[in-house]
Amino acid sequence: MSQRIELIATSTAGLEGVVKQEVMDLGYKNAQAENGKVIYTTDYKGIARSNLWLRTADRVKWKLAEFKAVTFEELFQQTKALPWGEILPKNAHFPVLGRSVKSTLFSISDSQAIVKKAIVENMKEKYNVSWFDEDGPAYTIEVSLLKDIATITIDTSGEGLHKRGYRRLHNVAPLKETMAAALIQISRWKPNIPFIDPFCGSGTLAIEAALIGQNIAPGFNRSFDAEEWGILPQKIWDDAIEEAEDLAEYNRNLAIFASDIDDESVKLTENNALEAGVHHLVQASQHDFKDVRSEYEYGYMITNPPYGERIGDKEETEALYRTLGRLTKHYFDTWSVYVLTPHQQFETLFGRKANKKRKLFSGNIRVDYYQYFGPRPPKEILDREL
């Protein structure tokens, strides 16, 4: 079959534009953003490169087909007609997931069963057997029905792309790695500018900044389901890894600081940074955020401070936001400050109206990303190496 394929990079609501830019930066200029996803055309190499490099996408799915289906017979026949025998080996493990929104075929379980049956019937003809053990590589298939249009995909990633492989331990309410990377991308932080997170938790923001700062592929230290697929030559993965090694800038100096009042959080940050291979780049320390200072005149503070759901005390949370506003005004007035919080009165508490605000979702929580732009640093600062 042709190597030209269509991929879907799934996205958290509100981050579609960020994911699209990442896809285009990989060279796939035909990317189209839709609700919760970015669709683009590539080849088999694109499966490896997308999984290795996309920092803000949730998963990479291979789109096999899209067709109208208002009856189970239509769903069955059009699914069965796909070239499953060319894609799935005889021992493939192929669970079928399902979704249905505003569609005649509203029963998700029935749609899953029909798709599974269609694939099995196709493979019976291909392999001339009546039973499949499914003890081989994973090919997680999804049938997604939206307004009677069925989309058939295979998940190439396996575990979600936020599973970088470095965060074996985390605190109570960790920020997903993909969201942390997106917050940094949105801020347009540059590696030659100092970075501070005064509420570091398990260190996700600081570690993602370090990976971005040295241009280290976020998927470099993990595996993906598609690596085990016979249809994808090993050379594709070898070449993608080699490209990632060549593009990494391991010698670039960074000034990344992470602190927290909780000693256990600081230890988590240090351990996770070690697992990520960036422990020498992240300077973690125990501080009450009120005591955080910097020797650098210009920089970026990007943080996800505790909020009511986590510390269970609205008054304490609001006092924290007021203090953060005073801290940044007095000691970081030439810095750009970015804060993620669900508190609708954050600007009032912080004491300033944000230059920009972006609606996002962290897990199931509606949050806003408040962006306060500092003055542009002089050219000699922008051009320097740390």
Side-chain angles (χ1 to χ4, degrees):
M1 57 190 295
S2 169
Q3 268 208 3
R4 298 306 294 172
I5 59 174
E6 208 166 18
L7 295 182
I8 299 174
T10 62
S11 165
T12 298
L15 295 183
E16 295 90 348
V18 181
V19 174
K20 178 182 176 180
Q21 186 59 57
E22 281 201 280
V23 169
M24 294 180 69
D25 288 344
L26 281 176
Y28 309 124
K29 303 299 184 185
N30 56 7
Q32 298 295 321
E34 298 180 9
N35 286 339
K37 60 187 176 183
V38 175
I39 304 170
Y40 54 107
T41 303
T42 176
D43 53 20
Y44 289 160
K45 294 178 184 177
I47 292 177
R49 296 182 71 240
S50 297
N51 276 295
L52 273 172
W53 281 104
L54 293 182
R55 299 182 190 278
T56 60
D58 293 328
R59 293 179 179 279
V60 177
K61 298 180 180 180
W62 178 5
K63 180 181 171 184
L64 293 187
E66 189 173 87
F67 50 80
K68 187 172 184 178
V70 294
T71 68
F72 287 127
E73 182 64 18
E74 287 178 330
L75 181 61
F76 177 84
Q77 293 297 343
Q78 293 185 84
T79 301
K80 184 174 181 288
L82 297 173
W84 297 107
E86 297 178 34
I87 300 170
L88 306 183
K90 187 177 177 180
N91 66 340
H93 172 55
F94 54 105
V96 178
L97 308 179
R99 290 188 299 158
S100 181
V101 179
K102 298 180 180 177
S103 294
T104 305
L105 302 179
F106 60 86
S107 172
I108 295 172
S109 59
D110 287 341
S111 297
Q112 290 172 259
I114 290 294
V115 167
K116 182 79 173 187
K117 181 180 177 182
I119 298 169
V120 168
E121 291 303 314
N122 176 292
M123 292 178 67
K124 280 181 180 179
E125 296 174 7
K126 165 73 175 180
Y127 293 110
N128 197 29
V129 296
S130 59
W131 179 260
F132 298 94
D133 290 327
E134 295 198 44
D135 56 0
Y139 296 74
T140 302
I141 295 159
E142 182 178 66
V143 51
S144 176
L145 291 151
L146 175 62
K147 297 180 180 178
D148 293 331
I149 300 298
T151 304
I152 307 293
T153 60
I154 307 179
D155 178 17
T156 72
S157 302
E159 287 194 300
L161 294 182
H162 70 283
K163 295 286 187 71
R164 311 289 206 222
Y166 65 74
R167 197 168 69 179
R168 304 183 192 282
L169 300 170
H170 55 76
N171 54 5
V172 177
L175 188 69
K176 283 176 71 171
E177 294 86 337
T178 43
M179 176 61 77
L183 299 182
I184 297 165
Q185 305 276 49
I186 292 168
S187 78
R188 300 188 183 277
W189 170 75
K190 302 298 181 189
N192 59 344
I193 300 294
F195 176 105
I196 287 179
D197 177 8
F199 302 97
C200 67
S202 52
T204 310
L205 275 163
I207 292 168
E208 290 297 319
L211 295 174
I212 290 170
Q214 289 200 335
N215 201 34
I216 298 170
F220 193 76
N221 289 319
R222 56 159 288 176
S223 59
F224 308 97
D225 277 1
E227 287 185 75
E228 303 300 319
W229 297 358
I231 196 171
L232 300 180
Q234 181 60 40
K235 188 176 188 311
I236 283 175
W237 296 96
D238 292 341
D239 288 349
I241 291 291
E242 184 177 350
E243 177 190 36
E245 282 279 20
D246 290 343
L247 292 174
E249 299 181 50
Y250 295 119
N251 293 323
R252 177 185 277 167
N253 293 322
L254 304 172
I256 296 177
F257 304 90
S259 61
D260 203 289
I261 194 171
D262 177 46
D263 183 52
E264 287 303 312
S265 291
V266 175
K267 290 176 182 176
L268 276 176
T269 296
E270 291 173 335
N271 289 336
N272 290 335
L274 184 64
E275 290 285 345
V278 296
H279 60 286
H280 58 298
L281 301 172
V282 176
Q283 300 180 49
S285 58
Q286 183 183 10
H287 284 303
D288 188 314
F289 78 97
K290 296 190 290 291
D291 300 324
V292 171
R293 304 288 186 271
S294 177
E295 64 185 272
Y296 294 97
E297 185 177 358
Y298 298 93
Y300 277 56
M301 179 184 290
I302 304 179
T303 192
N304 175 40
Y307 32 88
E309 287 83 350
R310 286 199 270 176
I311 61 177
D313 187 335
K314 184 179 178 183
E315 291 182 3
E316 184 179 346
T317 304
E318 293 182 348
L320 182 152
Y321 293 155
R322 290 189 188 96
T323 304
L324 182 61
R326 291 193 293 270
L327 171 79
T328 54
K329 182 178 180 180
H330 292 147
Y331 298 106
F332 294 90
D333 58 311
T334 52
W335 282 51
S336 293
V337 179
Y338 297 79
V339 182
L340 187 73
T341 174
H343 203 301
Q344 294 299 299
Q345 269 63 58
F346 174 78
E347 288 168 304
T348 301
L349 297 165
F350 190 75
R352 282 185 284 160
K353 185 173 177 58
N355 296 101
K356 202 169 183 180
K357 185 171 77 169
R358 187 166 183 151
K359 173 184 170 184
L360 297 170
F361 287 89
S362 181
N364 295 321
I365 301 174
R366 152 72 197 274
V367 291
D368 286 296
Y369 192 34
Y370 295 90
Q371 303 165 57
Y372 296 89
F373 306 148
R376 182 177 174 81
K379 188 175 187 300
E380 61 268 20
I381 297 289
L382 293 172
D383 292 343
R384 75 182 172 192
E385 287 192 16
L386 291 168

